[in-house]
Amino acid sequence: MSRIGKKAVPVPAGVTATIADKVLSVKGPKGTLSMPLVDEITYDVQADAISVQPSNATKRARAFWGMQRTMVQNLVTGVTAGFSKKLVITGVGYRAAAQGKTLKLQLGYSHDVNIDVPEGIEVKTPDATTVEISGADKQKVGQLAAEIRRWRKPEPYKGKGIKYDGEFIFRKEGKKK
Protein backbone atom coordinates (compact mmCIF):
# COMPACT_ATOMS: atom_id res chain seq x y z
CA MET A 1 0.00 0.00 0.00
CA SER A 2 1.25 3.43 -0.92
CA ARG A 3 1.32 5.79 2.03
CA ILE A 4 1.39 8.80 -0.27
CA GLY A 5 -1.27 7.43 -2.62
CA LYS A 6 -3.80 6.82 0.18
CA LYS A 7 -4.09 10.55 0.93
CA ALA A 8 -6.47 12.60 -1.18
CA VAL A 9 -5.11 15.80 -2.74
CA PRO A 10 -6.96 18.78 -1.23
CA VAL A 11 -8.30 21.29 -3.75
CA PRO A 12 -8.27 24.83 -2.28
CA ALA A 13 -10.96 27.42 -2.95
CA GLY A 14 -10.59 29.09 -6.34
CA VAL A 15 -9.18 25.96 -8.00
CA THR A 16 -11.24 23.73 -10.28
CA ALA A 17 -10.30 20.25 -11.52
CA THR A 18 -11.95 18.45 -14.44
CA ILE A 19 -11.40 15.20 -16.34
CA ALA A 20 -12.11 15.12 -20.08
CA ASP A 21 -10.73 12.79 -22.80
CA LYS A 22 -8.29 11.06 -20.43
CA VAL A 23 -6.74 14.41 -19.42
CA LEU A 24 -6.88 15.96 -15.94
CA SER A 25 -7.02 19.77 -16.10
CA VAL A 26 -6.53 21.97 -13.06
CA LYS A 27 -7.34 25.68 -13.30
CA GLY A 28 -6.33 28.24 -10.68
CA PRO A 29 -5.09 31.79 -10.17
CA LYS A 30 -1.67 31.10 -11.77
CA GLY A 31 -3.08 29.46 -14.91
CA THR A 32 -4.13 26.06 -16.17
CA LEU A 33 -2.11 22.85 -16.05
CA SER A 34 -3.02 19.44 -17.41
CA MET A 35 -1.65 15.91 -17.46
CA PRO A 36 -2.62 12.72 -19.32
CA LEU A 37 -4.27 10.03 -17.20
CA VAL A 38 -2.86 6.52 -16.82
CA ASP A 39 -5.16 3.52 -17.41
CA GLU A 40 -3.90 1.65 -14.33
CA ILE A 41 -5.09 4.41 -11.99
CA THR A 42 -8.63 5.57 -11.15
CA TYR A 43 -9.04 9.30 -10.52
CA ASP A 44 -12.00 10.64 -8.51
CA VAL A 45 -12.59 14.41 -8.60
CA GLN A 46 -14.80 15.90 -5.90
CA ALA A 47 -15.45 19.53 -4.98
CA ASP A 48 -12.74 19.69 -2.29
CA ALA A 49 -10.36 16.81 -3.10
CA ILE A 50 -8.94 14.55 -5.81
CA SER A 51 -8.37 10.92 -4.84
CA VAL A 52 -6.16 8.48 -6.73
CA GLN A 53 -6.60 4.70 -6.47
CA PRO A 54 -5.15 1.76 -8.44
CA SER A 55 -7.75 0.30 -10.80
CA ASN A 56 -6.43 -3.26 -10.43
CA ALA A 57 -4.00 -5.24 -8.25
CA THR A 58 -1.11 -5.44 -10.74
CA LYS A 59 2.41 -4.50 -9.79
CA ARG A 60 2.43 -1.74 -12.44
CA ALA A 61 -0.70 -0.15 -10.97
CA ARG A 62 0.77 -0.18 -7.47
CA ALA A 63 4.03 1.30 -8.81
CA PHE A 64 2.17 4.18 -10.49
CA TRP A 65 -0.12 4.93 -7.55
CA GLY A 66 2.08 7.18 -5.39
CA MET A 67 3.74 8.87 -8.36
CA GLN A 68 0.42 9.79 -9.97
CA ARG A 69 -0.85 11.23 -6.68
CA THR A 70 2.31 13.35 -6.40
CA MET A 71 1.88 14.56 -9.99
CA VAL A 72 -1.72 15.61 -9.22
CA GLN A 73 -0.43 17.42 -6.10
CA ASN A 74 2.16 19.25 -8.25
CA LEU A 75 -0.61 20.46 -10.59
CA VAL A 76 -2.65 21.85 -7.68
CA THR A 77 0.40 23.46 -6.04
CA GLY A 78 1.54 24.92 -9.37
CA VAL A 79 -1.72 26.73 -10.12
CA THR A 80 -1.99 28.08 -6.55
CA ALA A 81 1.53 28.93 -5.30
CA GLY A 82 3.84 28.03 -8.20
CA PHE A 83 7.38 26.69 -8.05
CA SER A 84 10.74 28.46 -8.00
CA LYS A 85 14.45 27.69 -8.16
CA LYS A 86 17.32 29.99 -7.28
CA LEU A 87 20.76 29.67 -8.86
CA VAL A 88 23.92 31.31 -7.52
CA ILE A 89 26.82 32.10 -9.87
CA THR A 90 30.33 32.10 -8.38
CA GLY A 91 33.46 33.15 -10.25
CA VAL A 92 35.39 36.22 -11.36
CA GLY A 93 33.63 37.82 -14.31
CA TYR A 94 30.70 35.39 -14.22
CA ARG A 95 27.44 37.34 -14.64
CA ALA A 96 23.80 36.89 -15.59
CA ALA A 97 21.27 39.37 -16.98
CA ALA A 98 17.65 38.78 -17.90
CA GLN A 99 16.64 40.62 -21.08
CA GLY A 100 12.97 40.01 -21.90
CA LYS A 101 12.53 36.35 -22.87
CA THR A 102 16.31 35.73 -23.00
CA LEU A 103 18.81 35.08 -20.23
CA LYS A 104 22.31 36.32 -21.07
CA LEU A 105 25.16 34.58 -19.21
CA GLN A 106 28.84 35.49 -19.16
CA LEU A 107 30.65 32.39 -17.91
CA GLY A 108 34.27 32.80 -18.96
CA TYR A 109 33.80 31.55 -22.51
CA SER A 110 34.90 33.62 -25.51
CA HIS A 111 31.21 34.26 -26.22
CA ASP A 112 28.08 35.04 -24.23
CA VAL A 113 25.58 32.25 -23.62
CA ASN A 114 22.02 33.21 -24.55
CA ILE A 115 19.25 30.97 -23.18
CA ASP A 116 15.67 31.34 -24.43
CA VAL A 117 13.10 31.25 -21.62
CA PRO A 118 10.14 28.92 -22.38
CA GLU A 119 6.53 30.11 -22.30
CA GLY A 120 5.03 30.19 -18.80
CA ILE A 121 8.39 30.58 -17.03
CA GLU A 122 9.66 33.83 -15.53
CA VAL A 123 13.38 34.53 -15.00
CA LYS A 124 14.62 37.37 -12.79
CA THR A 125 18.14 38.50 -11.94
CA PRO A 126 18.02 40.54 -8.71
CA ASP A 127 21.80 40.98 -8.96
CA ALA A 128 24.51 39.91 -11.41
CA THR A 129 25.24 36.62 -9.61
CA THR A 130 21.71 35.40 -8.82
CA VAL A 131 19.10 33.89 -11.16
CA GLU A 132 15.54 33.25 -9.93
CA ILE A 133 13.35 30.97 -12.05
CA SER A 134 9.63 30.71 -11.28
CA GLY A 135 6.53 29.27 -12.92
CA ALA A 136 3.51 27.03 -12.47
CA ASP A 137 4.96 23.86 -14.05
CA LYS A 138 7.47 22.14 -11.74
CA GLN A 139 9.03 20.13 -14.57
CA LYS A 140 9.69 23.19 -16.77
CA VAL A 141 11.17 25.20 -13.88
CA GLY A 142 13.51 22.36 -12.88
CA GLN A 143 14.50 21.62 -16.49
CA LEU A 144 15.43 25.25 -17.21
CA ALA A 145 17.44 25.43 -13.97
CA ALA A 146 19.30 22.23 -14.90
CA GLU A 147 20.05 23.53 -18.42
CA ILE A 148 21.45 26.79 -17.03
CA ARG A 149 23.55 24.92 -14.43
CA ARG A 150 24.90 22.57 -17.12
CA TRP A 151 26.84 25.43 -18.77
CA ARG A 152 29.25 25.70 -15.79
CA LYS A 153 28.86 23.07 -13.08
CA PRO A 154 30.53 23.98 -9.78
CA GLU A 155 34.05 22.63 -9.56
CA PRO A 156 35.41 21.24 -6.26
CA TYR A 157 38.72 23.14 -6.02
CA LYS A 158 37.75 26.82 -6.13
CA GLY A 159 33.95 26.45 -6.07
CA LYS A 160 33.50 28.37 -9.33
CA GLY A 161 30.39 27.71 -11.38
CA ILE A 162 26.59 27.77 -11.17
CA LYS A 163 24.99 26.04 -8.20
CA TYR A 164 21.54 25.80 -6.68
CA ASP A 165 20.90 28.01 -3.67
CA GLY A 166 21.61 25.93 -0.57
CA GLU A 167 23.60 23.27 -2.47
CA PHE A 168 26.80 22.19 -0.72
CA ILE A 169 29.86 21.78 -2.92
CA PHE A 170 32.37 19.37 -1.38
CA ARG A 171 35.70 21.20 -1.59
CA LYS A 172 38.94 19.37 -2.31
CA GLU A 173 42.43 20.31 -1.29
CA GLY A 174 44.80 21.24 -4.11
CA LYS A 175 48.24 19.79 -4.85
CA LYS A 176 50.63 19.55 -1.93
CA LYS A 177 54.24 20.65 -2.28
Side-chain angles (χ1 to χ4, degrees):
M1 296 292 287
S2 173
R3 291 183 189 170
I4 294 172
K6 287 183 197 175
K7 300 176 186 173
V9 177
V11 177
V15 176
T16 58
T18 56
I19 294 177
D21 298 328
K22 291 193 173 191
V23 174
L24 173 66
S25 297
V26 180
K27 186 176 182 182
K30 295 226 181 223
T32 303
L33 292 175
S34 62
M35 74 173 217
L37 301 181
V38 178
D39 292 333
E40 287 87 1
I41 303 295
T42 305
Y43 303 85
D44 185 27
V45 178
Q46 286 119 15
D48 61 341
I50 302 170
S51 63
V52 178
Q53 296 294 325
S55 60
N56 52 39
T58 62
K59 187 173 182 180
R60 182 177 166 88
R62 285 183 284 125
F64 274 37
W65 187 12
M67 180 191 68
Q68 289 296 311
R69 191 259 182 212
T70 302
M71 290 176 72
V72 171
Q73 176 68 52
N74 287 343
L75 294 181
V76 173
T77 304
V79 297
T80 54
F83 294 98
S84 65
K85 292 264 187 186
K86 187 174 178 183
L87 298 170
V88 178
I89 301 172
T90 308
V92 177
Y94 290 10
R95 289 188 287 281
Q99 300 172 340
K101 282 293 195 180
T102 305
L103 178 66
K104 183 178 178 183
L105 299 172
Q106 295 176 343
L107 299 172
Y109 297 119
S110 61
H111 56 85
D112 292 347
V113 176
N114 293 323
I115 298 173
D116 294 327
V117 178
E119 195 66 36
I121 302 295
E122 184 181 345
V123 175
K124 289 188 253 181
T125 51
D127 57 47
T129 60
T130 306
V131 178
E132 293 177 355
I133 305 164
S134 59
D137 192 347
K138 186 175 186 176
Q139 195 277 331
K140 284 184 180 177
V141 170
Q143 183 67 35
L144 182 62
E147 287 174 6
I148 293 170
R149 185 179 186 272
R150 189 180 67 197
W151 280 98
R152 228 8 139 183
K153 288 184 181 172
E155 54 96 16
Y157 295 100
K158 292 184 180 178
K160 291 169 51 173
I162 303 172
K163 67 176 186 163
Y164 296 111
D165 189 34
E167 179 183 10
F168 176 75
I169 305 302
F170 183 75
R171 301 294 292 271
K172 294 182 179 178
E173 189 176 341
K175 280 186 177 178
K176 294 181 181 175
K177 294 184 180 181

